[in-house]
Amino acid sequence: MTETTKSKRPEPLQAVKGMNDILPPESARWEWFEAKVRALMARYAYANLRTPIVEPTALFVRGIGEVTDIVEKEMYSFVDAMNGDKLTLRPEHTAGIVRAMVEHNALYNGPIRIWATGAVFRHERPQKGRYRQFHQIDVEALGFAGPDVDAEQILMCRALWRDLGLGDSDVRLELNSLGQPSERMAHRAALIAHFEAHAEVLDDEAKRRLHSNPLRILDAKNPAMQAVVEAAPQLMDFLGEASLAHLNSVRAVLDAAGLPYRINPRLVRGMDYYNLTVFEWVTDKLGSQGTVCGGGRYDGLFEQLGGKPTPAVGWGMGVERMLLLLEAVGVLPPTNASDVYAIVPSAEAMTTAMTTCEALRAAGVNVQMHAAGADSWGGMKGQFKRADASGARFALVFGADELARGEVALKSLRDADAQQRAVKLAEVAVWAAELRNA
Ligand code: ATP
Ligand code: MG
């Protein structure tokens, strides 16, 4: 490369604002978390589903339903320049999952339990615990009408907290019932009447929401409106017998399982499709981004998306917020360093080192082998430094003298007093067992 082409090197690019790279060693925490989640899903018999990240915009902007924050101002929507299709980067998993279930008639043989994970996108103001690309774990029980699955999904969360090493005081459960659409309509009318009678204290956002989504006004943070918000009619008082019975069944299971919760009559969810059970898991340890998981029942969504009436319930969990919480509480996973770092002092030793490392890997040992530079293997001292920094428990030295005797030197990197010892190349299988991280 000449000097002139070098000087034309472009400015390096940066990731899109609010969208993060997840580098090692941080990525090891993600893998650890995901492994716990996968094991949990297997224990509760939830099957994995993968849907596209890009969906038709119409999936999220539906003809009926309330105007939500997400649809109103947080969606990444665009027109496909090739064919004019209106597309959206999924802002959540549920709608795509329901679309897929209807499209493939997946409930033909009866109800199913599904889980999914992956990136979702919302155009929000980035801050700690709030990003424009983030990741959710998502759980859905499709075709189940009873309160038992609502309770099951809440208990699953508690099981995960325990698997992760979180304590009972680190996350707490808030529960509410949104009743059925007819009950909500009656409540909505009473709510609008109440807020209209106090129109003078409403801010612009509340006025805007008054007829589009008055329930969201209950969520308003404006202190000047607090008294009026608190005096507002409560949905709980509009619930009929069946809705109350559903809520009480969920409560009975939680009580029997010794899982404490708070009934929060002001808990409303950001999506328009919920009915009956809604819940959130919240923590005090993440400031205003304190909701780590939220969910509830959405018996009307299948019909809204053109499917047969199908009861369903699910939750979504923010992976970034979960990892921030684990860090705040000091629950950190073990690092996933290799078992062995192979030190290769010369080109002559490379082939033997390679085949020995392959034999070790085949025996289940995790091996990082030193790789040569363009013109040298680097000194022994430098390689030992790298071996230490790698976090490996053992160094395996392919020195010329040892190799001449059909041996390699094995040295503990954790125990400074342990002597280096020679092991026979011909007996790899024997000492491999000792090196394997159980
Ligand atoms: P919030 O009130 O914090 O905006 P939400 O009600 O919009 O949350 P949901 O739509 O229920 O959130 O999504 C489920 C979970 O995803 C949340 O409980 C949270 O843990 C996480 N989450 C939501 N928005 C973001 C974001 N912008 N960045 C990171 N995590 C998020
Ligand atoms: Mg939100």
Side-chain angles (χ1 to χ4, degrees):
M1 211 187 258
T2 66
E3 279 307 307
T4 43
T5 56
K6 244 188 197 167
S7 65
K8 280 190 189 145
R9 192 160 57 177
E11 282 295 311
L13 295 172
Q14 289 177 349
V16 174
K17 186 178 173 195
M19 306 201 181
N20 300 312
D21 299 308
I22 300 152
L23 304 176
E26 173 69 12
S27 53
R29 287 193 196 174
W30 282 68
E31 292 188 299
W32 173 81
F33 178 78
E34 287 160 1
K36 297 277 185 199
V37 168
R38 271 173 229 289
L40 179 87
M41 298 307 167
R43 288 209 310 279
Y44 283 81
Y46 280 66
N48 186 236
L49 174 73
R50 296 156 197 244
T51 60
I53 290 173
V54 182
E55 293 279 4
T57 301
L59 179 62
F60 308 108
V61 184
R62 294 183 286 273
I64 34 177
E66 314 255 1
V67 179
T68 68
D69 278 357
I70 294 173
V71 171
E72 212 177 16
K73 53 183 191 221
E74 295 178 0
M75 288 205 316
Y76 280 90
S77 295
F78 57 97
V79 176
D80 184 332
M82 301 299 164
N83 60 9
D85 285 354
K86 291 190 172 127
L87 304 175
T88 294
L89 302 184
R90 64 183 178 200
E92 52 120 26
H93 289 278
T94 308
I97 292 175
V98 171
R99 177 202 49 70
M101 295 294 103
V102 173
E103 184 170 339
H104 302 287
N105 201 10
L107 274 71
Y108 184 73
N109 291 318
I112 49 178
R113 293 171 165 92
I114 288 290
W115 79 278
T117 185
V120 295
F121 302 83
R122 296 182 192 176
H123 199 101
E124 303 198 64
R125 191 171 69 77
Q127 54 199 288
K128 192 178 178 197
R130 191 175 293 284
Y131 312 100
R132 290 181 174 175
Q133 173 179 316
F134 62 101
H135 298 76
Q136 286 185 342
I137 307 294
D138 191 86
V139 149
E140 315 287 354
L142 309 158
F144 299 91
D148 46 359
V149 278
D150 307 25
E152 170 183 282
Q153 292 193 347
I154 293 171
L155 293 176
M156 279 174 90
C157 294
R158 180 179 64 169
L160 182 62
W161 312 149
R162 289 180 172 172
D163 291 349
L164 294 169
L166 287 170
D168 287 347
S169 61
D170 295 327
V171 261
R172 42 171 223 283
L173 176 64
E174 306 226 321
L175 185 67
N176 192 19
S177 173
L178 297 183
Q180 297 295 7
S182 59
E183 294 154 356
R184 280 168 72 168
M185 288 311 283
H187 172 246
R188 187 189 149 109
L191 209 55
I192 293 175
H194 171 78
F195 285 127
E196 273 175 342
H198 297 92
E200 70 286 355
V201 297
L202 299 187
D203 59 20
D204 286 347
E205 190 167 27
K207 280 192 185 123
R208 200 167 47 78
R209 281 173 162 163
L210 186 56
H211 292 279
S212 64
N213 192 352
L215 211 54
R216 290 292 285 178
I217 302 178
L218 298 178
D219 232 7
K221 305 281 183 297
N222 184 350
M225 287 168 43
Q226 281 320 296
V228 169
V229 165
E230 273 172 37
Q234 297 208 344
L235 177 56
M236 201 60 91
D237 298 325
F238 289 75
L239 296 188
E241 219 170 286
S243 295
L244 283 173
H246 191 100
L247 176 62
N248 287 335
S249 293
V250 175
R251 296 182 64 166
V253 176
L254 301 182
D255 291 339
L259 171 48
Y261 54 86
R262 185 171 83 91
I263 293 286
N264 176 0
R266 288 171 58 183
L267 177 64
V268 294
R269 307 267 311 123
M271 303 291 180
D272 60 351
Y273 46 62
Y274 287 101
N275 68 313
L276 293 174
T277 314
V278 287
F279 61 88
E280 279 184 359
W281 287 92
V282 292
T283 176
D284 302 325
K285 304 197 158 70
L286 297 179
S288 50
Q289 270 60 252
T291 307
V292 292
C293 177
R297 184 161 275 285
Y298 54 93
D299 296 335
L301 186 60
F302 271 75
E303 271 178 290
Q304 278 192 40
L305 295 177
K308 292 195 209 86
T310 307
V313 56
W315 53 246
M317 182 180 293
V319 178
E320 284 82 355
R321 285 191 200 171
M322 281 306 302
L323 290 168
L324 285 170
L325 172 61
L326 292 169
E327 191 177 342
V329 174
V331 182
L332 295 181
T335 59
N336 64 349
S338 300
D339 303 321
V340 172
Y341 191 100
I343 290 179
V344 188
S346 71
E348 289 69 45
M350 190 269 280
T351 304
T352 308
M354 275 278 179
T355 53
T356 309
C357 289
E358 281 300 289
L360 285 172
R361 291 171 181 137
V365 183
N366 300 333
V367 184
Q368 182 175 165
M369 188 176 133
H370 188 83
D375 45 23
S376 101
W377 283 86
M380 285 285 259
K381 211 172 143 196
Q383 290 197 37
F384 262 107
K385 256 195 185 157
R386 282 182 182 246
D388 274 323
S390 79
R393 289 177 302 127
F394 295 97
L396 199 57
V397 190
F398 290 86
D401 295 348
E402 285 92 345
L403 287 183
R405 291 194 298 271
E407 294 174 348
V408 277
L410 180 64
K411 189 173 185 303
S412 169
L413 294 172
R414 297 280 169 82
D415 178 0
D417 298 332
Q419 288 296 312
Q420 177 167 317
R421 66 182 227 256
V423 290
K424 293 236 170 301
L425 281 172
E427 293 167 8
V428 175
V430 178
W431 43 271
E434 182 191 331
L435 307 186
R436 199 163 43 226
N437 219 343

